[in-house]
Amino acid sequence: MPVITGIASLTHATVQSISFLSNPKFFEQLATTKAAAVMLPARALEHLPSQTPFLVVCCEDPYLLYSRLSQWFEKQRLAGLSRNIHPTAVIHESARIGNNVAIGPHVVIEENVQIGDGVTIGPACVIGRDCHIGAESLLHARVTFYADVRLGERCIIHSGAVLGADGFGFAPDATREPGGWSKIIQFGGVVLGNDVEVGANTTIDRGALDDTVIGNDVKLDNLIMLGHNVQIGDHTAMAGCVGIAGSTTIGKRCTIAGAAMLSGHITLGDDVHISGATSVMSDISKPGRYTGVFPMAEHTVWQKNAAVLLQLAQLRRRIRDLEKP
Amino acid sequence: MPVITGIASLTHATVQSISFLSNPKFFEQLATTKAAAVMLPARALEHLPSQTPFLVVCCEDPYLLYSRLSQWFEKQRLAGLSRNIHPTAVIHESARIGNNVAIGPHVVIEENVQIGDGVTIGPACVIGRDCHIGAESLLHARVTFYADVRLGERCIIHSGAVLGADGFGFAPDATREPGGWSKIIQFGGVVLGNDVEVGANTTIDRGALDDTVIGNDVKLDNLIMLGHNVQIGDHTAMAGCVGIAGSTTIGKRCTIAGAAMLSGHITLGDDVHISGATSVMSDISKPGRYTGVFPMAEHTVWQKNAAVLLQLAQLRRRIRDLEKP
Amino acid sequence: MPVITGIASLTHATVQSISFLSNPKFFEQLATTKAAAVMLPARALEHLPSQTPFLVVCCEDPYLLYSRLSQWFEKQRLAGLSRNIHPTAVIHESARIGNNVAIGPHVVIEENVQIGDGVTIGPACVIGRDCHIGAESLLHARVTFYADVRLGERCIIHSGAVLGADGFGFAPDATREPGGWSKIIQFGGVVLGNDVEVGANTTIDRGALDDTVIGNDVKLDNLIMLGHNVQIGDHTAMAGCVGIAGSTTIGKRCTIAGAAMLSGHITLGDDVHISGATSVMSDISKPGRYTGVFPMAEHTVWQKNAAVLLQLAQLRRRIRDLEKP
């Protein structure tokens, strides 16, 4: 029997791969996969070819088992890597660095930073003064923390993410010229819980006076924008390109699909699910799924419907007139 | 009487804080705040508790006063910091650096760059050839200027911002293969006025032949995209995730709310206000507020309405038929 | 006759400029331009002023000729620059570097990286282990490649772009707490063809198990997000702020206009054109243009129409009732 060296999809698996099946759509791939072993649910057993050439790993939740096994393989890989502090890193003498910390080339760490045990800081990261980074957290290359960011344990921050930049705050100031702006210095910080993941080039602004607060196990994809004083409950996940304006509060276990946009100063309760590209402009207290997307059509069809859309109020009046006895 | 050491919100204020009140919604917080002093408008005086334990700073515009005071506190903090040029910065010998300039670790400054007095350049910034940076401007960590960016005075540029990347210009070129593209080199630069703020990970492309031009006191939030040859008038402000396609011109004192998108080659006049998530596809000359957002609803409700939306032209015909005598 | 030293627009041209005209909208600018020469199509000849002071370069496709000439001028400029490897770059001893490669200050290149002949790597780039960079490719300042990114020849990657960050993959995991997530390690890489351009701060995630694959001559603007296992056909172009969710496949010669959003696990055929700000939630096999945008109006007009929109299903019922004999 071959040694299994990694995980692969059913179609790309080799005789050294373990694979998995959770979506019934892919049952037929079981007939042709070259995998040495396949994790699958009991309901898939009847779809197995009569001569199963692979080891069957029957389990309740193959997707979760796949996830755990992927983590196991990654842990083996990381264990083989050397961990050290690169001599080109510029680290302020007041910084307190834990045990078994790895710091890449060209990193900058400013005064009074605290870094927990087992933290990894990738090349070219910049960590501002007074930041805390919890144990076992991983910052990939080129992450920026402004001052006063406090990150929990086991977090993963991807390249290009910027935590703690100024919130967008200006007071109208017509004293010099009409339409002028006077900057409001942003004194708050950013606080993130444990097990948070922040995607590439995502930005989380610091609070104006109080902190911006991200709960435990919050998962943020790439190119997300969180304004100042946003608060996000535990386990909430957001897909790419989402924007949340300042001072909005989001509950626990919410999902916000890609490119959805939330106005500022609103509140979403727990277990609220927002569809992709939907604009949320007011509070939502009731759990459930909410959507607001103009349905796509061929351009000429869209043109006709869009033209009528701008006469809707008038159409309603015409219907009312027709309804009059 | 205690010494005031900082600004805080009414709810988080301590006996060493000054706070402010401008929104009548928060009048009731006056009864419980621990602040040593509160800036408030005359109309709030009647809402004061009978025994006011804090110093009342009555003023016409407490929000603007709060802004000014925040700047004063920040100025005190910055005055205490040392300013120098870090030895790991790589600065071309032809660069001209003003007085009292601070340059962080791992910065790169290319040939013929001019940096005005009192400028601060954060860690790991890259400043391309022939850039000018006006006096007292502040670049946070990891800002990139390509060649030929000219920045005014007192500007603030946040981490991850990229100014002067190539505009998106390609000529269709079917000489080798149908659908091919031929790159148009982008020779223009980017010119920004005084008092401009650019948010984290925002990108402003260089012009194709002429420059991209940003006026004075323009405020741009995070993750904004400005295409080549965009022109923006003084005092215009844009919230996060806004996109402006190439060669579009925007007037003075406009506001573009979050995630709004403007097509290319259009013109917005002065004092135009675009709501969040709105697509602007044609010129707007009349001042006012403009909106185009599909209203959100529970998903099942949305499904029903969206389905009818695709039959709107047909519905209008049916109404017309009904109206026939 | 003056020497031509560069390209300029008709309005900004000097006696040392060559200019071009392809849009009939600008015919009238021929009367006043100071250009020494103008590339124009045959149909423009009749619009020439009687005394043409400039050299006329009549050609079939002036826009394409302008593109080619812009590349020629750029090539001259680049030929004059020195090319070397900066001493502050940190390059792993196992990396294989081709001939005539330029590497800027503060670059980090990890183990087993292969860099082709004539490649330029701008300041502060980070190139992860096992990456390949094809000949003549150009990475501007501050680009990040995670491990396992394979880039073709003659590609251009702009500042702040992040290639190979983790795809957004989590298995629901309620074993510790309801709503919990278990990370799925992303083992796939990113493969890009030849002549690809990637805009500033755009992110392309690595695949979960198989690779994310970008075809030849694909052009991506700024702040685009491509999820894990996305596949894009040759010559497809996307404007700024587009988001493509995971496992979506896009054909050849498609165009996706600014801020359009595609759901995950869908397929677009060849020659499909998506309008700006349109959400695509299902497969499209038929070539053509597709649109789904709420038409903008003055805010008060929008309010009225949006209110009726939420009653559309009800309106249709009322029309049906009226139609009953």
Side-chain angles (χ1 to χ4, degrees):
Chain A
M1 196 166 204
V3 174
I4 290 171
T5 58
I7 311 177
S9 61
L10 285 170
T11 50
H12 285 72
T14 70
V15 292
Q16 294 194 299
S17 311
I18 183 167
S19 190
F20 76 101
L21 176 77
S22 60
N23 188 336
K25 208 167 88 178
F26 300 122
F27 277 161
E28 62 181 38
Q29 294 181 0
L30 289 174
T32 52
T33 186
K34 295 196 176 69
V38 179
M39 302 172 274
L40 43 71
R43 71 177 184 280
L45 293 177
E46 59 183 295
H47 295 272
L48 287 176
S50 51
Q51 297 278 336
T52 309
F54 50 77
L55 182 68
V56 170
V57 183
C58 185
C59 58
E60 208 174 323
D61 187 344
Y63 198 59
L64 180 55
L65 185 57
Y66 152 48
S67 159
R68 292 274 164 78
L69 191 61
S70 78
Q71 293 168 17
W72 184 88
F73 274 111
E74 181 68 356
K75 206 170 170 182
Q76 306 313 307
R77 190 184 71 78
L78 292 174
L81 301 182
S82 63
R83 297 181 63 77
N84 48 45
I85 296 178
H86 197 274
T88 58
V90 175
I91 303 176
H92 194 275
E93 57 183 6
S94 61
R96 278 178 283 166
I97 313 287
N99 296 316
N100 194 32
V101 167
I103 298 182
H106 301 316
V107 164
V108 178
I109 295 179
E110 300 188 343
E111 54 267 52
N112 299 321
V113 168
Q114 292 185 35
I115 297 181
D117 295 344
V119 164
T120 301
I121 299 187
C125 288
V126 178
I127 311 298
R129 64 177 165 77
D130 299 311
C131 285
H132 293 205
I133 299 180
E136 306 296 332
S137 285
L138 163 61
L139 276 62
H140 284 277
R142 280 205 319 104
V143 164
T144 306
F145 283 10
Y146 281 54
D148 306 313
V149 175
R150 277 148 287 163
L151 185 69
E153 302 187 349
R154 297 175 304 280
C155 294
I156 299 174
I157 313 293
H158 284 282
S159 292
V162 178
L163 276 62
D166 287 355
F168 199 61
F170 303 92
D173 177 8
T175 52
R176 281 175 302 180
E177 205 174 8
W181 298 106
S182 175
K183 181 174 174 71
I184 293 168
I185 304 297
Q186 306 287 300
F187 294 117
V190 181
V191 178
L192 303 101
N194 298 322
D195 303 296
V196 172
E197 185 156 346
V198 176
N201 284 347
T202 281
T203 70
I204 305 177
D205 280 353
R206 66 192 311 105
L209 292 170
D210 307 328
D211 295 328
T212 301
V213 181
I214 313 296
N216 293 314
D217 198 34
V218 167
K219 307 299 183 187
L220 304 176
D221 199 357
N222 299 355
L223 289 169
I224 289 173
M225 156 67 188
L226 302 187
H228 51 183
N229 299 104
V230 161
Q231 301 196 33
I232 309 207
D234 296 349
H235 310 302
T236 284
M238 301 188 192
C241 306
V242 162
I244 314 283
S247 299
T248 278
T249 298
I250 299 176
K252 296 180 180 180
R253 297 175 302 277
C254 294
T255 58
I256 317 284
M261 293 288 153
L262 276 66
S263 297
H265 296 273
I266 64 173
T267 299
L268 270 60
D270 297 339
D271 301 298
V272 167
H273 304 281
I274 304 296
S275 299
T278 292
S279 287
V280 184
M281 293 183 284
S282 54
D283 293 353
I284 301 177
S285 55
K286 188 181 158 196
R289 183 175 172 200
Y290 297 83
T291 306
V293 182
F294 199 102
M296 187 193 72
E298 290 189 45
H299 185 71
T300 49
V301 173
W302 169 81
Q303 276 181 308
K304 280 177 202 155
N305 290 315
V308 184
L309 183 64
L310 292 174
Q311 309 165 352
L312 269 187
Q314 184 203 336
L315 279 191
R316 185 171 57 177
R317 276 197 303 277
R318 287 161 65 182
I319 294 173
R320 275 186 198 148
D321 286 347
L322 286 164
E323 286 168 338
K324 280 176 191 159
Chain B
M1 194 165 205
V3 175
I4 289 171
T5 58
I7 312 176
S9 60
L10 284 170
T11 50
H12 285 73
T14 71
V15 292
Q16 293 195 299
S17 311
I18 182 167
S19 191
F20 75 100
L21 176 77
S22 60
N23 188 336
K25 207 167 88 179
F26 300 122
F27 277 161
E28 61 182 39
Q29 294 182 359
L30 289 173
T32 54
T33 186
K34 296 196 175 68
V38 179
M39 302 172 275
L40 43 70
R43 70 177 186 280
L45 293 176
E46 58 182 296
H47 296 271
L48 287 176
S50 52
Q51 297 278 336
T52 308
F54 50 78
L55 182 69
V56 171
V57 183
C58 186
C59 58
E60 207 174 322
D61 187 344
Y63 197 60
L64 179 56
L65 186 56
Y66 152 49
S67 159
R68 292 274 164 78
L69 191 61
S70 78
Q71 293 168 16
W72 184 88
F73 274 112
E74 181 68 356
K75 207 170 170 182
Q76 307 311 307
R77 189 184 71 79
L78 292 175
L81 301 182
S82 63
R83 297 179 63 76
N84 48 45
I85 296 178
H86 197 273
T88 59
V90 174
I91 302 176
H92 194 275
E93 58 183 7
S94 61
R96 279 178 283 168
I97 313 286
N99 297 316
N100 194 31
V101 167
I103 297 181
H106 302 315
V107 164
V108 178
I109 295 180
E110 300 188 344
E111 54 265 53
N112 299 320
V113 168
Q114 292 184 36
I115 297 181
D117 294 344
V119 165
T120 302
I121 298 186
C125 288
V126 177
I127 311 299
R129 63 178 166 77
D130 298 311
C131 285
H132 294 205
I133 299 180
E136 305 296 332
S137 285
L138 163 62
L139 277 60
H140 284 277
R142 280 205 319 105
V143 165
T144 305
F145 282 11
Y146 282 53
D148 306 312
V149 175
R150 278 148 287 164
L151 186 69
E153 302 187 348
R154 297 175 304 281
C155 294
I156 299 174
I157 314 293
H158 285 281
S159 292
V162 178
L163 275 62
D166 287 353
F168 198 61
F170 302 92
D173 177 8
T175 52
R176 282 175 303 181
E177 208 176 5
W181 298 106
S182 175
K183 181 174 175 72
I184 294 168
I185 304 297
Q186 306 287 302
F187 294 117
V190 181
V191 178
L192 303 101
N194 298 322
D195 303 297
V196 172
E197 184 156 346
V198 176
N201 285 348
T202 281
T203 69
I204 306 178
D205 281 352
R206 65 194 309 105
L209 292 170
D210 306 329
D211 294 328
T212 301
V213 181
I214 313 296
N216 294 314
D217 198 33
V218 167
K219 308 298 184 187
L220 304 175
D221 199 356
N222 299 356
L223 289 170
I224 289 173
M225 156 66 189
L226 302 187
H228 51 183
N229 299 103
V230 161
Q231 302 196 33
I232 308 205
D234 296 350
H235 310 303
T236 284
M238 301 188 193
C241 307
V242 163
I244 314 284
S247 299
T248 278
T249 297
I250 299 176
K252 296 180 179 182
R253 297 175 303 278
C254 294
T255 58
I256 317 283
M261 293 289 153
L262 276 66
S263 297
H265 296 273
I266 63 173
T267 299
L268 270 62
D270 297 339
D271 301 298
V272 167
H273 304 281
I274 305 296
S275 298
T278 292
S279 286
V280 184
M281 294 183 281
S282 53
D283 294 353
I284 301 178
S285 55
K286 187 180 159 195
R289 183 175 173 200
Y290 296 83
T291 306
V293 181
F294 198 104
M296 187 194 72
E298 290 189 44
H299 185 71
T300 50
V301 173
W302 170 81
Q303 277 181 308
K304 280 177 203 154
N305 290 315
V308 183
L309 183 64
L310 293 174
Q311 309 164 351
L312 269 187
Q314 185 202 337
L315 278 191
R316 184 172 54 177
R317 275 196 304 276
R318 287 162 65 182
I319 294 173
R320 275 185 198 150
D321 285 348
L322 286 164
E323 286 169 337
K324 281 176 192 160
Chain C
M1 193 167 207
V3 174
I4 289 171
T5 58
I7 312 177
S9 61
L10 285 170
T11 49
H12 285 74
T14 71
V15 292
Q16 293 195 298
S17 310
I18 181 167
S19 191
F20 75 102
L21 175 77
S22 59
N23 189 337
K25 208 167 89 177
F26 300 122
F27 277 160
E28 62 182 37
Q29 294 182 1
L30 289 173
T32 53
T33 185
K34 296 196 176 69
V38 179
M39 301 172 276
L40 43 71
R43 71 177 185 281
L45 293 176
E46 59 183 295
H47 296 272
L48 288 176
S50 52
Q51 297 279 335
T52 309
F54 49 80
L55 181 69
V56 171
V57 183
C58 184
C59 58
E60 208 175 322
D61 187 345
Y63 197 59
L64 180 56
L65 185 57
Y66 153 47
S67 159
R68 292 276 163 77
L69 191 62
S70 78
Q71 294 167 17
W72 184 87
F73 275 112
E74 181 67 357
K75 206 169 169 182
Q76 306 312 307
R77 189 184 71 78
L78 292 175
L81 300 183
S82 63
R83 295 180 64 76
N84 49 44
I85 296 178
H86 197 275
T88 58
V90 174
I91 302 176
H92 195 274
E93 56 183 7
S94 61
R96 277 177 285 168
I97 313 287
N99 296 315
N100 194 32
V101 167
I103 298 181
H106 302 317
V107 164
V108 178
I109 295 180
E110 299 188 345
E111 54 267 51
N112 299 321
V113 168
Q114 292 184 35
I115 297 182
D117 294 344
V119 164
T120 302
I121 298 186
C125 288
V126 178
I127 311 298
R129 64 176 165 78
D130 299 311
C131 286
H132 294 206
I133 299 181
E136 305 295 333
S137 285
L138 163 61
L139 277 62
H140 284 276
R142 280 203 321 102
V143 165
T144 305
F145 283 11
Y146 282 52
D148 307 313
V149 175
R150 276 148 288 165
L151 186 69
E153 302 187 349
R154 297 175 305 279
C155 294
I156 300 174
I157 314 293
H158 285 281
S159 292
V162 178
L163 275 61
D166 287 353
F168 199 60
F170 302 92
D173 178 8
T175 52
R176 281 175 302 181
E177 207 175 6
W181 298 107
S182 175
K183 180 174 175 72
I184 294 168
I185 305 297
Q186 306 286 302
F187 293 117
V190 181
V191 178
L192 303 101
N194 298 321
D195 302 297
V196 172
E197 185 156 346
V198 177
N201 285 348
T202 281
T203 69
I204 306 177
D205 281 352
R206 64 193 312 105
L209 292 171
D210 308 328
D211 294 329
T212 301
V213 181
I214 313 296
N216 293 313
D217 197 35
V218 167
K219 307 299 184 186
L220 304 175
D221 199 356
N222 300 356
L223 289 170
I224 288 173
M225 155 67 188
L226 303 187
H228 51 182
N229 300 104
V230 161
Q231 301 197 33
I232 308 206
D234 296 350
H235 309 304
T236 284
M238 301 188 193
C241 307
V242 163
I244 315 283
S247 299
T248 279
T249 297
I250 299 177
K252 296 180 178 180
R253 297 175 302 277
C254 294
T255 58
I256 317 283
M261 294 288 153
L262 276 65
S263 297
H265 297 272
I266 63 173
T267 299
L268 269 63
D270 297 339
D271 301 298
V272 167
H273 305 281
I274 304 296
S275 298
T278 292
S279 285
V280 184
M281 294 183 282
S282 52
D283 293 353
I284 301 178
S285 54
K286 188 181 159 194
R289 184 176 173 200
Y290 296 84
T291 306
V293 181
F294 199 104
M296 187 194 72
E298 290 189 43
H299 186 71
T300 49
V301 173
W302 169 82
Q303 277 181 308
K304 280 176 203 154
N305 289 315
V308 184
L309 183 64
L310 292 174
Q311 310 165 351
L312 269 188
Q314 185 203 334
L315 279 191
R316 185 171 56 176
R317 275 196 303 277
R318 287 162 65 183
I319 294 173
R320 275 184 198 151
D321 286 347
L322 287 164
E323 287 169 337
K324 281 177 191 158

